[in-house]
Amino acid sequence: DYVTDQQTVLALTRCLPYAGISVDRLFHSIRIRQPETVPRLYRRIRAGLAQNASTSDASHLVYHLSVETWNVDADVLTNLLRLLPSLRTLIVWIGPSNFSPEHLEEMFKPPMHNLKCLSLRFRPYVRKATYYQFHKGSYFDSTLLALSTWPQGLPTLSIVQDTFTPDPSDLSPRFAQPIVFFRLALHLSLLIHSPASHASLTSLRIRIPARPIIQPLTIAYLHPTVPPISTNTNTVPPPPSLDFLDVATCNVSETDIEKLLMHFTRLKHLVLDECTNLPRAWSVSSQALGSELEWWSALGRRLVMAGVKRAREREKELRTWYEENFYRRSLRRDEDESQVHVEDERETQIYEPKRPKRGRRGLATATITLRGATTSPPRAGPAKKPSPERSRRHGAVSSSS
């Protein structure tokens, strides 16, 4: 337990300040719950770097940082992260007033090369109506776009927006709450289908209440200004090899579950808690009603048959690809034969070659002939009857003789 180790190391350093006790465990995992802790940690790291001593420099000792407060100073936190080159895990809570999209864009624009796990938790809700964000167009889409440009991917990525729960004691009139992402389908697709995510992403958590999530997960965008294309084509990298996918609280239907299983073939864990368009209060038990059991049975069939349907889709894609390539080869061969015949006609001027027919040829059509250049012998068959005129002429010749 790092918390116990930190308390033990801190107590020993206070009791024995000149004993030379290692402070590695003190800085290994840092959990911040008070806003004023961030400036103090920044001053401590900055002072150690200014002394240029290995014993006082703690910047390379911080591997896990968790900022669990809604009122932290975003500018100080951004400067602090610049001093932590060995950071592997980063957890940040983003409140309605402390962070702006520009802060997160500045924080993630330079890649963190050693980062393996990133967790962003958003709570944009306010008690007083404000439309500044709407009029300014201030949304956190730029954060997703900045992460999609990283040269290396993140094995674990979590982006969560808390569900809005109104206070029962608040009697003020209801109003529309701010949203975190505006063009979620575009920028999330750019992040999920980036080459870096394809190479490294294995665990993904996306919780955006009541927002459609299937399109950005299954349809790829190559560029913000380029229309989306299906990931079945060869122009984009295949989807990431996800083992864990959490889309709780999102807008997910029963058919969307099948699409997810067909798209992410190596998926082992799928979390669908409190999803829109899915039953919420049903549970599998001996006391479940008939309709509940029927729904769970249908869901089980969908999960089992997703692999079969995926195999059929792949077979259809392979058949289409084969027919297209075979048709192209046939056209190319026909064009080559036409050119050869035209050249022979120009040289010999003896006969006019027969042009090959356009279109697709069957698989069993022979492309060569075994007959030689000599005239083939006459075919065996019933003898033809002589015409009446020839018979009379033959009879006259016989009588004269």
Side-chain angles (χ1 to χ4, degrees):
D1 188 1
Y2 287 109
V3 177
T4 305
D5 294 345
Q6 287 177 346
Q7 295 175 354
T8 304
V9 172
L10 183 61
L12 290 175
T13 55
R14 294 295 184 269
C15 297
L16 305 171
Y18 302 104
I21 300 174
S22 176
V23 295
D24 293 2
R25 305 291 289 182
L26 186 63
F27 291 94
H28 187 277
S29 298
I30 299 178
R31 190 176 185 180
I32 298 176
R33 295 185 176 180
Q34 300 297 330
E36 59 272 11
T37 306
V38 176
R40 286 186 291 180
L41 179 61
Y42 173 74
R43 290 193 294 267
R44 171 65 178 83
I45 299 294
R46 189 64 181 239
L49 290 173
Q51 294 179 7
N52 293 326
S54 58
T55 56
S56 58
D57 183 11
S59 61
H60 63 283
L61 300 178
V62 182
Y63 291 96
H64 307 279
L65 179 62
S66 178
V67 183
E68 301 176 2
T69 174
W70 303 107
N71 300 316
V72 68
D73 192 331
D75 294 320
V76 179
L77 179 60
T78 302
N79 295 331
L80 174 63
L81 295 178
R82 295 286 184 272
L83 306 178
L84 306 177
S86 303
L87 197 63
R88 298 179 181 176
T89 303
L90 177 61
I91 301 174
V92 182
W93 289 9
I94 301 159
S97 59
N98 60 341
F99 272 92
S100 66
E102 290 77 14
H103 285 125
L104 282 184
E105 185 178 1
E106 182 183 0
M107 183 182 298
F108 297 121
K109 198 167 186 179
M112 301 180 182
H113 297 283
N114 294 321
L115 194 65
K116 303 299 180 183
C117 176
L118 175 61
S119 176
L120 302 177
R121 181 180 176 185
F122 295 88
R123 182 181 288 180
Y125 310 116
V126 294
R127 293 186 176 181
K128 185 178 180 181
T130 175
Y131 299 98
Y132 172 77
Q133 180 188 21
F134 174 76
H135 291 297
K136 184 183 177 183
S138 179
Y139 304 100
F140 289 92
D141 296 37
S142 58
T143 303
L144 304 179
L145 192 59
L147 293 175
S148 65
T149 59
W150 281 17
Q152 87 289 348
L154 293 166
T156 303
L157 176 61
S158 175
I159 300 176
V160 177
Q161 177 182 344
D162 288 358
T163 305
F164 175 68
T165 53
D167 187 2
S169 60
D170 187 8
L171 301 179
S172 59
R174 298 287 185 264
F175 54 89
Q177 292 289 340
I179 62 176
V180 177
F181 302 105
F182 183 67
R183 300 184 66 184
L184 179 64
L186 169 62
H187 298 101
L188 182 59
S189 176
L190 289 173
L191 174 59
I192 298 301
H193 297 95
S194 63
S197 297
H198 159 65
S200 59
L201 187 61
T202 57
S203 300
L204 176 64
R205 174 181 286 114
I206 300 292
R207 293 188 176 186
I208 312 296
R211 293 291 296 272
I213 203 67
I214 303 302
Q215 180 179 357
L217 291 179
T218 57
I219 298 180
Y221 283 82
L222 297 179
H223 192 268
T225 59
V226 178
I229 61 175
S230 174
T231 55
N232 295 331
T233 61
N234 297 326
T235 57
V236 294
S241 301
L242 292 181
D243 296 333
F244 175 86
L245 178 60
D246 184 356
V247 291
T249 71
C250 296
N251 188 351
V252 179
S253 62
E254 298 180 19
T255 57
D256 294 337
I257 300 176
E258 193 173 6
K259 293 179 181 179
L260 290 175
L261 295 177
M262 291 175 57
H263 192 69
F264 301 105
T265 57
R266 298 184 180 182
L267 196 62
K268 298 179 180 178
H269 305 279
L270 179 62
V271 182
L272 301 169
D273 297 338
E274 299 182 359
C275 285
T276 310
N277 297 329
L278 289 180
R280 296 187 178 184
W282 288 3
S283 61
V284 180
S285 63
S286 58
Q287 301 171 351
L289 300 177
S291 56
E292 300 178 9
L293 293 178
E294 290 179 1
W295 185 86
W296 284 109
S297 178
L299 178 60
R301 286 194 297 269
R302 287 182 180 272
L303 298 179
V304 172
M305 297 301 294
V308 178
K309 191 171 182 179
R310 173 59 179 168
R312 292 175 180 174
E313 293 292 334
R314 294 290 297 174
E315 183 179 357
K316 186 185 300 182
E317 295 169 8
L318 181 60
R319 188 184 302 111
T320 304
W321 174 87
Y322 179 77
E323 291 178 355
E324 291 178 355
N325 283 267
F326 182 80
Y327 178 69
R328 291 173 184 172
R329 288 197 301 268
S330 300
L331 288 180
R332 193 180 302 113
R333 184 174 61 250
D334 292 346
E335 292 177 358
D336 295 340
E337 292 179 359
S338 300
Q339 294 177 359
V340 171
H341 287 308
V342 170
E343 292 177 359
D344 293 343
E345 181 182 6
R346 290 176 180 176
E347 293 178 359
T348 61
Q349 294 293 333
I350 297 176
Y351 66 95
E352 181 180 358
K354 182 180 179 182
R355 294 184 180 180
K357 295 182 179 180
R358 298 280 184 176
R360 175 178 172 272
R361 293 187 176 182
L363 296 178
T365 303
T367 58
I368 60 174
T369 178
L370 300 178
R371 292 183 298 176
T374 58
T375 306
S376 59
R379 297 181 180 180
K384 295 183 179 180
K385 295 182 180 181
S387 59
E389 182 179 356
R390 185 177 179 182
S391 300
R392 289 194 300 269
R393 215 180 306 165
H394 181 70
V397 171
S398 300
S399 59
S400 62
S401 59

